[in-house]
Amino acid sequence: MSTFQSPKGTFDLLPPDSATFLAVREAMAAPLKRAGYGYVETPAFEDTALFKRGVGKSTDIVTKEMYSFTTQGGDEVTLRPEGTAPTLRAALQANLDRGGLPVKLWYSGSFYRYEKPQAGRYRHFSQVGAEALGAEDPALDAEIIILAADAYAELGLREYRILLNSLGDKECRPVYRATLQDFLRGLDLDEETRKRAEINPLRVLDDKRDSVQKQLAGVPLMADSLCGACKAYHEEVRTLLTAAGVAFADDPKLVRGLDYYTRTTFEFVHDGLGSQSAVGGGGRYDGLSEMIGGPALPSVGWALGVDRTILALRSEGVELPGADRVDVFAVPLGDEARRRLFETVTELRRLGVSADFAYGNKGLKGAMKSADRSGARFALILGERDIAEGVVQVKELASGEQETVPLSGIVTTLQGKLA
Ligand code: AMP
């Protein structure tokens, strides 16, 4: 053990769990690749102003959770707390919005929020995200939700629900906002919530406290105030989802914690996770591009939490892929044998057979222990007498059966045994 520990709210990924992590990330990306989404990678930090403007000044993320600092050169930067604003920034910077639309992108990486750590909530976490930029089409909203559902199906996750809502657009949302504000002003709310009601009243709907929820019993809902265009749009999204066999529940109070959403919003919630129940979420953000100084670019996207998805899979008892084992483990006895077997191992690997080697001078007993630990199917054991006779011992580790085979054809022999 060293003097140092991973910082609070973070954890290391190590074998064998790290293999599960990679497999989950891969499974989330697979449906996106099949649907024409291209990979995007942006820096781990951005100008602080991008998130202030993009995510919203009154959000928890911006007010409490950002890792922001001033660089040696005086730049104000922030470790990315989310991936939508950076992806959109990158697409606009490269003028992708002037080519064929929509531009469909996916990403995978680390995100940082200074949160109060608890199970499923970390200060450093991992997301896979998808963004479809530059098209206002209910089929695109449906596509992106279906792709997330397909990713979860591929992983074998079952006990989750999709919550769906529409937050309206720039026509009907302001009218609703005013109606909601009037209602909230009549309630008995604490100072902070009252302030929130003035800056971003929709977020009060999301307040988890009983004392607030009780008072929200008769609250006016966005669903009842949608304009004709938003209502028709939302109906079409629902129809397409249903036709695709993707079940969802309407949740008229779903608002999500970021300010940029318009129209379609959704969340994937899992019941086996306790309080941090959202495994993923997203929605349409038609105004975000303009908020960060770009042209009008209606878009839709989501982010799925890799860490929380793994917790959800575990809570359902889903069998998760473990670390790959090597096929062959080489145990040389003596210097000449080391050279010969090292060469064999290199050749095997180049031919696509996974192989490892007993490094360090462990002696036969120690080396065989390493071979067992590696999980390899076969150990190759080569001693001086074997070299003299032109043979090598092949031991099947599970059964303990050992046979002597010609050293010259060992690669072919192993390929045959492993086929
Ligand atoms: P959000 O951008 O907040 O909607 O987050 C999207 C998804 O990322 C969530 O549904 C979680 O699965 C995951 N996520 C967000 N914040 C955290 C966190 N602090 N720790 C772990 N996962 C997180």
Side-chain angles (χ1 to χ4, degrees):
M1 192 142 131
S2 91
T3 353
F4 295 106
Q5 304 271 304
S6 62
K8 186 175 170 190
T10 73
F11 60 90
D12 304 307
L13 276 167
L14 294 163
D17 292 348
S18 51
T20 304
F21 175 87
L22 288 179
V24 168
R25 218 161 60 168
E26 199 53 42
M28 287 175 170
L32 299 171
K33 293 184 198 167
R34 289 196 294 266
Y37 288 70
Y39 181 66
V40 59
E41 192 160 317
T42 61
F45 57 87
E46 297 274 353
D47 284 349
T48 297
L50 173 69
F51 298 115
K52 281 199 175 156
R53 280 216 247 160
V55 177
K57 279 209 176 87
S58 76
T59 59
D60 282 350
I61 293 181
V62 169
T63 54
K64 301 182 202 155
E65 297 172 359
M66 295 214 297
Y67 279 91
S68 300
F69 56 101
T70 310
T71 64
Q72 311 262 0
D75 298 327
E76 299 291 336
V77 298
T78 293
L79 296 183
R80 57 184 182 183
E82 61 96 53
T84 301
T87 298
L88 185 55
R89 194 269 307 138
L92 293 175
Q93 186 176 331
N95 295 321
L96 299 188
D97 57 304
R98 296 193 198 152
L101 296 176
V103 176
K104 304 206 281 188
L105 300 169
W106 73 276
Y107 60 81
S108 165
S110 294
F111 295 86
Y112 310 85
R113 293 183 194 174
Y114 190 74
E115 304 209 60
K116 204 164 152 222
Q118 53 180 275
R121 188 199 266 182
Y122 313 107
R123 290 181 173 176
H124 165 254
F125 57 98
S126 179
Q127 289 182 338
V128 169
E131 316 288 351
L133 314 174
E136 197 177 346
D137 182 340
L140 200 55
D141 303 45
E143 167 178 291
I144 212 153
I145 296 172
I146 292 166
L147 293 174
D150 287 352
Y152 284 137
E154 201 151 307
L155 284 164
L157 192 74
R158 301 161 64 94
E159 291 158 26
Y160 75 91
R161 289 169 292 135
I162 300 176
L163 306 179
L164 187 68
N165 193 21
S166 173
L167 294 180
D169 64 4
K170 56 179 185 298
E171 302 302 321
C172 53
R173 168 97 143 263
V175 181
Y176 169 68
R177 190 178 185 276
T179 314
L180 177 62
Q181 249 164 359
D182 277 348
F183 178 88
L184 295 176
R185 282 182 193 128
L187 302 184
D188 176 23
L189 301 169
D190 59 89
E191 189 54 34
E192 196 184 334
T193 313
R194 213 176 267 287
K195 244 190 237 158
R196 183 175 297 158
E198 292 310 315
I199 304 167
N200 192 343
L202 272 81
R203 292 201 44 243
V204 178
L205 297 179
D206 210 21
D207 200 308
K208 299 283 185 287
R209 290 170 299 181
D210 268 353
S211 57
V212 177
Q213 280 304 325
K214 253 189 223 139
Q215 299 188 67
L216 291 177
V219 70
L221 295 170
M222 186 71 236
D224 301 320
S225 310
L226 291 178
C227 61
C230 283
K231 207 179 266 177
Y233 193 99
H234 197 55
E235 260 326 297
E236 184 63 12
V237 174
R238 297 173 84 257
T239 305
L240 292 171
L241 287 177
T242 305
V246 171
F248 56 86
D250 293 307
D251 181 353
K253 286 191 189 160
L254 178 73
V255 294
R256 305 205 12 86
L258 299 86
D259 277 355
Y260 49 58
Y261 290 108
T262 49
R263 287 196 170 165
T264 315
T265 43
F266 50 87
E267 207 153 80
F268 299 83
V269 292
H270 194 275
D271 296 325
L273 290 183
S275 61
Q276 300 306 313
S277 61
V279 287
R284 180 158 277 284
Y285 47 93
D286 291 345
L288 179 58
S289 174
E290 286 152 304
M291 280 158 73
I292 63 167
L297 198 68
S299 306
V300 60
W302 52 241
L304 308 183
V306 180
D307 318 282
R308 262 188 225 169
T309 298
I310 292 173
L311 293 177
L313 287 162
R314 289 217 175 102
S315 82
E316 284 189 30
V318 176
E319 185 88 24
L320 295 167
D324 284 339
R325 293 163 178 276
V326 289
D327 292 321
V328 177
F329 195 95
V331 176
L333 305 168
D335 288 342
E336 177 58 16
R338 290 182 76 73
R339 266 174 236 123
R340 297 287 283 269
L341 277 193
F342 187 77
E343 214 174 287
T344 306
V345 161
T346 303
E347 196 181 340
L348 283 167
R349 290 172 179 165
R350 285 179 178 160
L351 290 167
V353 177
S354 60
D356 205 353
F357 188 81
Y359 292 103
N361 283 314
K362 289 196 182 96
L364 179 60
K365 219 169 139 198
M368 287 311 290
K369 211 184 246 176
S370 302
D372 280 328
R373 221 178 267 148
S374 76
R377 266 186 73 193
F378 297 104
L380 287 186
I381 307 152
L382 187 68
E384 273 166 33
R385 200 188 311 154
D386 295 318
I387 299 175
E389 291 171 12
V391 295
V392 58
Q393 312 299 323
V394 178
K395 182 172 182 179
E396 187 171 40
L397 288 165
S399 65
E401 268 171 46
Q402 189 165 315
E403 63 176 311
T404 307
V405 304
L407 186 53
S408 60
I410 184 60
V411 169
T412 327
T413 307
L414 284 170
Q415 281 181 307
K417 282 179 181 294
L418 289 162

